[in-house]
Amino acid sequence: MRFVSTKDLKPGMLLANNLYDNNEITLLKANTPLNQFYIDRIDKLEYEGVYIFEDGDVEKARQIVSDETRLKAIKHLKKLDIDACIFLANSIVNEIRNADSLIIEQKAICSHDNYTYVHSVNVDILSVIIGIGMGLSNSELEKLSQSALLHDIGKCDIPLEILNKPAKLSKEEYEEMMKHPWYGLSRLREKEKTGDEISAVIKNAVYSHHENWDGTGYPRGIAGTDIHEFARIIHVADVYDALTTKRAYKNAMNPADAIEYLMANAGIMFDIKVVNTFLLYIAPYPIGCTVLLSNGQQGVVIENNEKYLSRPKVKLSNGKVIDMMKKLDITILNILV
Ligand SMILES: [Fe+2]
């Protein structure tokens, strides 16, 4: 399986993952051979790229959370159905706890218009994985998952022209965007008037997910452990997913560079303990990416070493596989695609 940028897709390539349109309807199923019509559609939906099968591949990529659950979460978020989100967040914890491996080794791909929702689901999954790594109990994980899925619920009160603006925001627009943690908290309080009480922890995490460890974040500018642990976890997951996703005004940063960004900001923006836990689960060179090796050769990452994620197995274009755990004189210089 190989990740191919949308601009490099060619008719005849075989799709490796299901693709969905902006209404969560299956656009293309895995194993579909691409034609020009499909490629144009993928381009129009502004997918950064897709996974395709290489010769001999038979299996889809391992998924930590099923497409079915992801699509349900997106639908509930779109409908602002907070009860359904809270219920589903618990199933997401279950799925993650039952996954064979928690290593994140696939690039997150989503179409442009669904970004806010897909992003919320990704942040939920990443947050729960960090929570497991930090030894949280099951009931804590459920509350963390609920908080993470709902963390950007306040964005529904941000005008769409700001939310989906295909360029950098102006100062005024950014100030409006910065109100979304408050809008989120207000939404949850509003919901409580017509239903059950929502845990104070969830309201706190939703309100505080843009606070920085050094006190330079918003809305309150609180610092260190005054920021709830869940908010510190969601902050790392949120920034990582945002950095590695293509938006209309910026390219996706590759995972290796995003990891560098997190490390450089540990103790500044982020809680060091949260960053260090995250690094145990995130593959800097995801399966399917094309890498440039220090010996000048290029290849595709085909398997990660779960103990040392920076030393994967790489398949060269001549079919030869380099196991970087055995070839210690070779390093990965860069991710090309
Ligand atoms: Fe946010």
Side-chain angles (χ1 to χ4, degrees), residues 151-152 155 180 209-210 238:
H151 80 283
D152 268 346
K155 283 194 178 164
H180 77 270
H209 73 274
H210 283 287
D238 180 22

Side-chain angles (χ1 to χ4, degrees), residues 73-85 117 150 152-157 187-188 191:
I74 292 170
K75 276 185 184 161
H76 297 333
L77 285 167
K78 275 189 176 174
K79 280 198 221 152
L80 286 173
D81 188 338
I82 292 172
D83 286 334
C85 284
Y117 310 108
L150 294 170
D152 268 346
I153 195 97
K155 283 194 178 164
C156 65
D157 294 313
R187 282 270 167 189
L188 298 181
K191 174 77 186 87

Side-chain angles (χ1 to χ4, degrees), residues 2 15 66 267 285:
R2 182 161 64 95
L15 200 62
S66 65
Y285 307 109

